[in-house]
């Protein structure tokens, strides 16, 4: 008896809930099919003042090849690589001597795995964490005094100019009001008075080209025809319909029975196939790029999707997803743009919002001798007004964001990182190769003649997949 009552009550509650939703729909005018869209909390990023770059003095550099030749000439036999015993601490294969560039075969792991190394060629001692440190001496750009390391953090060290005569410090002092001076005496930590530089030692090698990997999927094994796959992608990606609605459409209109889970699985395979093509395509680019972060939900948590795209050509060039809005991801996002440039243009500029991570990323690249300008526009991606100069850019970013959100909305978030990467990859493929853009006179950003002459979108998706597969075969052949 009791279970029946509960079932009845549940039914009643369900019914009431439906009534309320219908009423709300009538009142607010929203579709009752729309799931409520929960907005992420727009956490303000840490307001961090990023100073100018320091003067970087590069100490004497040696060339291991020359040193090895000299060794051979002096000793009559070549210098042998380090002989490693089976129990000795391994040296990472990617590691090089910071002073002479000798590869890992010539490096000793010095003190029992504590991260110290020595080069057999030039005898240079170095630490894994501070190996960039060896490369340069950092000096204050305001007074030319050597900076002092004051903090060691996970991803960076903090350097400070402690010179009391430094013009930076003197200027800050002179600008203080009496009240501020009094507070400064009581709580010196509350003020940023001195020149600060953060030196990154993120283990990330910029511009490291990696050849495309053949994905471990075989689209010919999918239990679905290429045309059906093209239809599915058109509904789900181009029109932003949910996987469930796409499944229903396939059944009701095309008479094809396919579960929404199969749709997601197929799309995952397509994304893996398209990704190398999208990422290695030889795009024609300008030298003006802008970046923005937007939110997506992965495993019930908000993640950040970093978009970087060519502001002139409207091509999306990088799209990493990260649980954090941090400098490491900003570096990755910018690096993926740099990798697509045939050479680094002289006036390379990134226009971004006010988040200090982009300045820190700029410093990181300049440490690796890859200079570029960062223009930070407050209000570029939020409600604030921006200057007239950047208003068109703001509109471009807003349009990209609207397009993405329109397509993303139907997904209700992703169950896994892989799912989010797949969806974003398909979106980027669509955006770059298939979607006509009003700012380009209705043309798609990347014109591929083979796609253009096709009569409809499913055919274009199919052809794009073909091109990507063919390209992969050519690359790995
Ligand atoms: Zn060396
Ligand atoms: Zn100084």
């Amino acid at each position: 008896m009791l279970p029946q009552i509960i079932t009845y009550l549940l039914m009643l509650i369900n019914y009431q809930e439906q009534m309320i939703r219908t009423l709300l729909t009538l009142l607010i005018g929203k579709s009752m099919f729309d799931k409520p869209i929960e907005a992420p909390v727009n956490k303000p990023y840490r307001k961090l003042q990023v100073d100018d770059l320091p003067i970087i003095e590069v100490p004497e550099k040696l060339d291991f090849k020359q040193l090895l030749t000299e060794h051979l000439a002096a000793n009559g036999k070549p210098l042998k690589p380090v002989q490693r015993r089976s129990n000795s601490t391994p040296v990472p294969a990617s590691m090089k001597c910071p002073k002479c560039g000798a590869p890992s075969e010539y490096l000793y792991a010095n003190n029992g795995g504590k991260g110290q190394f020595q080069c057999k060629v030039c005898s240079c001692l170095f630490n894994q964490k501070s190996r960039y440190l060896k490369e340069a001496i950092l000096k204050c750009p305001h007074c030319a005094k050597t900076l002092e390391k004051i903090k060691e953090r996970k991803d960076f060290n903090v350097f400070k100019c402690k010179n009391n005569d430094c013009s930076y410090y003197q200027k800050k002092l002179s600008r203080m009001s009496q009240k501020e001076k009094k507070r400064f005496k009581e709580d010196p930590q509350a003020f940023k008075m001195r020149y600060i530089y953060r030196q990154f030692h993120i283990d990330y090698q910029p511009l490291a080209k990696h050849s495309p990997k053949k994905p471990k999927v075989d689209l010919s094994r999918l239990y679905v025809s290429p045309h059906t796959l093209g239809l599915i992608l058109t509904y789900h990606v181009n029109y932003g319909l949910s996987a469930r609605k796409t499944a229903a459409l396939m059944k009701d209109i095309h008479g094809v029975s396919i579960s929404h889970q199969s749709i997601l699985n197929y799309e995952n395979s397509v994304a893996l196939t398209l990704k190398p093509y999208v990422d290695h395509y030889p795009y024609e680019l300008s030298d003006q790029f802008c970046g923005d972060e937007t939110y997506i939900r992965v495993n019930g948590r908000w993640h950040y999707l970093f978009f970087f795209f060519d502001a002139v050509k409207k091509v999306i060039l990088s799209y990493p997803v990260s649980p954090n809005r941090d400098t490491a991801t900003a570096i990755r996002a910018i690096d993926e743009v740099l990798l697509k440039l045939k050479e680094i243009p002289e006036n390379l500029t990134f226009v971004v919002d006010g988040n200090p991570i982009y300045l820190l990323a700029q410093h990181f690249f300049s440490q690796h001798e890859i200079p570029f300008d960062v223009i930070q526009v407050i209000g570029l991606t939020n409600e604030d007004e921006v200057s007239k100069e950047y208003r068109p850019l703001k509109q471009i970013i807003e349009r990209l964001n609207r397009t993405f959100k329109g397509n993303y909305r139907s997904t209700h978030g992703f169950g896994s990182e892989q799912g989010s990467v797949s969806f974003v990859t398909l979106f980027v493929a669509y955006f770059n190769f298939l979607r006509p853009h009003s700012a380009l006179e209705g043309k798609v950003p990347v014109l591929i003649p083979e796609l253009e002459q096709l009569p409809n979108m499913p055919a274009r998706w199919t052809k794009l997949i073909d091109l990507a597969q063919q390209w992969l075969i050519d690359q790995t052949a």
Side-chain angles (χ1 to χ4, degrees):
M1 193 61 199
L2 200 61
Q4 272 173 321
I5 292 175
I6 291 174
T7 314
Y8 174 71
L9 281 176
L10 278 174
M11 260 174 59
L12 196 70
I13 289 168
N14 261 332
Y15 175 70
Q16 282 177 329
E17 199 189 281
Q18 285 233 327
M19 277 294 286
I20 291 168
R21 270 211 248 162
T22 310
L23 285 171
L24 275 176
T25 307
L26 291 173
L27 281 172
I28 307 166
K30 267 181 115 187
S31 160
M32 60 188 279
F33 296 107
D34 274 353
K35 273 207 178 173
I37 295 152
E38 187 195 334
V41 206
N42 196 351
K43 270 189 281 174
Y45 38 78
R46 241 176 85 214
K47 296 272 188 297
L48 186 78
Q49 193 191 332
V50 180
D51 291 328
D52 295 342
L53 272 174
I55 303 165
I56 302 172
E57 277 188 9
V58 183
E60 180 206 16
K61 274 257 182 193
L62 299 168
D63 176 6
F64 79 96
K65 283 183 194 144
Q66 199 187 330
L67 291 176
L68 288 177
T69 317
E70 281 167 15
H71 183 97
L72 179 64
N75 300 283
K77 55 184 177 188
L79 183 74
K80 282 190 195 137
V82 176
Q83 294 235 336
R84 281 189 228 291
R85 272 171 254 120
S86 57
N87 61 350
S88 60
T89 320
V91 175
S94 63
M95 185 175 278
K96 278 186 190 149
C97 168
K99 196 165 180 184
C100 75
S104 63
E105 297 97 277
Y106 292 99
L107 304 179
Y108 299 102
N110 216 22
N111 58 349
K114 287 209 187 95
Q116 243 215 16
F117 296 90
Q118 183 162 30
C119 174
K120 191 176 174 184
V121 183
C122 74
S123 316
C124 162
L125 266 172
F126 64 100
N127 193 292
Q128 184 166 25
K129 282 268 159 85
S130 64
R131 78 190 122 120
Y132 298 119
L133 215 73
K134 282 270 170 190
E135 294 181 354
I137 299 160
L138 303 170
K139 293 187 169 177
C140 173
H142 302 277
C143 68
K145 286 267 171 354
T146 303
L147 301 175
E148 243 176 83
K149 195 200 301 178
I150 56 160
K151 255 177 231 158
E152 287 191 16
R153 293 274 169 82
K154 188 172 136 273
D155 291 334
F156 56 86
N157 296 331
V158 183
F159 288 79
K160 192 180 199 172
C161 174
K162 288 195 171 176
N163 176 13
N164 284 338
D165 299 325
C166 179
S167 62
Y168 184 100
Y169 178 62
Q170 288 298 332
K171 208 188 259 168
K172 288 259 173 177
L173 267 185
S174 68
R175 280 185 189 162
M176 279 181 144
S177 65
Q178 285 303 331
K179 222 171 129 190
E180 283 172 328
K181 276 187 184 151
K182 205 176 148 232
R183 242 198 94 198
F184 179 51
K185 267 198 177 147
E186 289 157 7
D187 182 15
Q189 295 301 318
F191 294 85
K192 182 187 175 298
M193 298 294 289
R194 292 179 188 270
Y195 172 84
I196 292 276
Y197 175 60
R198 288 167 192 79
Q199 186 179 49
F200 284 86
H201 42 65
I202 295 172
D203 202 2
Y204 188 93
Q205 192 56 44
L207 297 183
K209 297 236 183 221
H210 20 112
S211 44
K213 269 195 212 107
K214 217 174 159 182
K216 290 191 187 85
V217 286
D218 183 358
L219 292 185
S220 65
R221 292 229 185 129
L222 300 186
Y223 294 107
V224 65
S225 73
H227 179 67
T228 304
L229 199 56
L231 281 169
I232 289 170
L233 291 162
T234 304
Y235 291 138
H236 193 197
V237 183
N238 300 38
Y239 287 90
L241 298 175
S242 69
R244 279 176 203 277
K245 276 191 196 168
T246 303
L249 255 169
M250 291 308 294
K251 175 99 182 108
D252 292 348
I253 294 176
H254 303 283
V256 178
S257 279
I258 186 166
S259 72
H260 81 279
Q261 190 54 52
S262 300
I263 287 179
L264 294 176
N265 296 346
Y266 292 165
E267 287 186 345
N268 191 31
S269 303
V270 173
L272 286 171
T273 308
L274 286 178
K275 195 169 182 359
Y277 187 70
V278 171
D279 290 347
H280 291 86
Y281 190 86
Y283 297 104
E284 287 295 327
L285 300 173
S286 75
D287 52 8
Q288 304 293 313
F289 301 96
C290 45
D292 184 23
E293 309 117 50
T294 187
Y295 303 92
I296 59 173
R297 227 173 148 78
V298 181
N299 273 330
R301 272 191 63 200
W302 287 108
H303 278 50
Y304 299 92
L305 166 60
F306 287 62
F307 269 130
F308 267 86
F309 62 105
D310 189 312
V312 182
K313 309 278 181 163
K314 321 289 178 205
V315 177
I316 301 173
L317 298 166
S318 84
Y319 45 95
V321 173
S322 164
N324 307 307
R325 198 183 192 179
D326 56 8
T327 308
T329 315
I331 289 171
R332 222 171 89 213
I334 291 175
D335 194 48
E336 274 170 36
V337 176
L338 298 177
L339 275 167
K340 291 177 185 65
L341 295 167
K342 283 163 196 121
E343 56 185 290
I344 308 281
E346 212 153 286
N347 296 317
L348 179 60
T349 308
F350 289 96
V351 181
V352 288
D353 60 29
N355 196 331
I357 55 175
Y358 295 113
L359 287 180
L360 297 173
Q362 181 195 25
H363 287 188
F364 171 83
F365 282 102
S366 114
Q367 268 168 233
H368 288 84
E369 288 162 51
I370 305 166
F372 52 77
D373 285 326
V374 169
I375 297 176
Q376 293 201 295
V377 183
I378 311 290
L380 195 59
T381 58
N382 53 37
E383 303 295 297
D384 298 338
E385 264 303 302
V386 295
S387 64
K388 209 171 154 202
E389 193 188 349
Y390 293 107
R391 216 165 288 147
L393 211 51
K394 186 178 168 84
Q395 283 162 356
I396 292 171
I397 292 177
E398 280 171 351
R399 205 169 303 137
L400 172 65
N401 256 333
R402 257 203 313 277
T403 312
F404 176 73
K405 281 185 182 136
N407 294 47
Y408 160 75
R409 193 165 292 144
S410 70
T411 64
H412 307 305
F414 303 100
S416 66
E417 296 247 355
Q418 181 53 47
S420 68
V421 171
S422 286
F423 186 83
V424 177
T425 304
L426 293 175
F427 175 79
V428 174
Y430 160 63
F431 193 91
N432 288 356
F433 297 101
L434 301 172
R435 182 178 177 274
H437 204 293
S438 58
L440 302 169
E441 295 164 337
K443 294 201 178 87
V444 291
V446 183
L447 285 170
I448 300 179
E450 289 108 306
L451 294 179
E452 249 192 307
Q453 59 204 7
L454 292 166
N456 56 44
M457 197 50 79
R460 275 178 220 137
W461 269 113
T462 310
K463 187 74 199 169
L464 185 63
I465 295 167
D466 270 358
L467 289 173
Q469 284 180 311
Q470 192 49 52
W471 180 85
L472 264 173
I473 292 167
D474 294 347
Q475 292 301 307
T476 46

